[in-house]
Amino acid sequence: SSGIAVSDECIDRYNELKDEHKYRFVIYRIGEDLKSIIVEGTSEDAVTDESGNPAEEPSDVYEKFISRFPDNDGRYAVYDFEYTHDGGKRNKVLFFSWAPGSAPIKSKMLYAASKNDIEKRLTGTSLVVQATERSNLFYDEVLEKVITRFR
């Protein structure tokens, strides 16, 4: 354990994503005080329109999501990943751990040390996506991991 606490807001936003499908994603970061993990942002954009249809293509929302990861600092995130497999629509809640190679050593160490703390608190995620470079985040690469894991 890193001694970095997971804020209640982190858990609340996660539950809203998982149980109520209020968001497509939630992004977390370690706060300035280095004492807690906080919510950096969510997909405020509506997940569905008035008719209950997806507001945007899942891949467009996903591109927006990965563009929010900074090049020089770590992040954690959860994503309600929707995909089609064997003719059926499915979705899995994925946990992302972003630790780019270009981040300072201290950032990489803090994010590595506190990953298990937040992962344990966000119960019910289906798969962990560890990414150290942008290509690890590409939609097709993540989709492949999901399909391989949940055949």
Side-chain angles (χ1 to χ4, degrees):
S1 173
S2 63
I4 297 178
V6 179
S7 75
D8 290 342
E9 186 193 10
C10 290
I11 312 303
D12 293 345
R13 292 301 86 75
Y14 171 68
N15 288 329
E16 289 167 351
L17 174 143
K18 183 173 65 104
D19 302 332
E20 301 166 30
H21 302 286
K22 185 172 177 181
Y23 308 110
R24 182 74 77 210
F25 61 81
V26 181
I27 298 176
Y28 306 101
R29 68 178 175 84
I30 295 174
E32 303 300 319
D33 63 0
L34 307 181
K35 289 182 169 54
S36 62
I37 297 170
I38 59 174
V39 172
E40 179 174 74
T42 63
S43 57
E44 279 88 3
D45 38 23
V47 175
T48 56
D49 64 20
E50 304 77 49
S51 323
N53 298 313
E56 294 178 86
E57 285 301 310
S59 56
D60 293 341
V61 177
Y62 187 80
E63 289 306 315
K64 254 187 217 172
F65 165 66
I66 62 174
S67 74
R68 305 261 298 259
F69 290 119
D71 289 329
N72 58 354
D73 200 9
R75 288 296 182 273
Y76 305 114
V78 285
Y79 191 93
D80 190 357
F81 192 80
E82 190 179 285
Y83 63 104
T84 304
H85 185 59
D86 290 338
K89 258 191 171 175
R90 304 172 185 205
N91 64 319
K92 300 285 180 194
V93 177
L94 310 182
F95 176 82
F96 284 77
S97 174
W98 170 245
S102 52
I105 295 289
K106 184 174 183 180
S107 166
K108 286 192 267 200
M109 286 173 59
L110 284 170
Y111 277 90
S114 50
K115 177 180 163 282
N116 287 345
D117 298 336
I118 185 167
E119 204 183 327
K120 267 190 288 209
R121 299 285 309 276
L122 306 179
T123 54
T125 57
S126 301
L127 182 71
V128 175
V129 177
Q130 303 224 59
T132 55
E133 55 186 59
R134 294 261 167 215
S135 63
N136 302 147
L137 297 170
F138 292 165
Y139 184 84
D140 290 341
E141 187 162 320
V142 173
L143 177 61
E144 172 109 355
K145 279 185 178 135
V146 170
I147 289 173
T148 302
R149 174 80 187 271
F150 301 103
R151 286 193 186 277

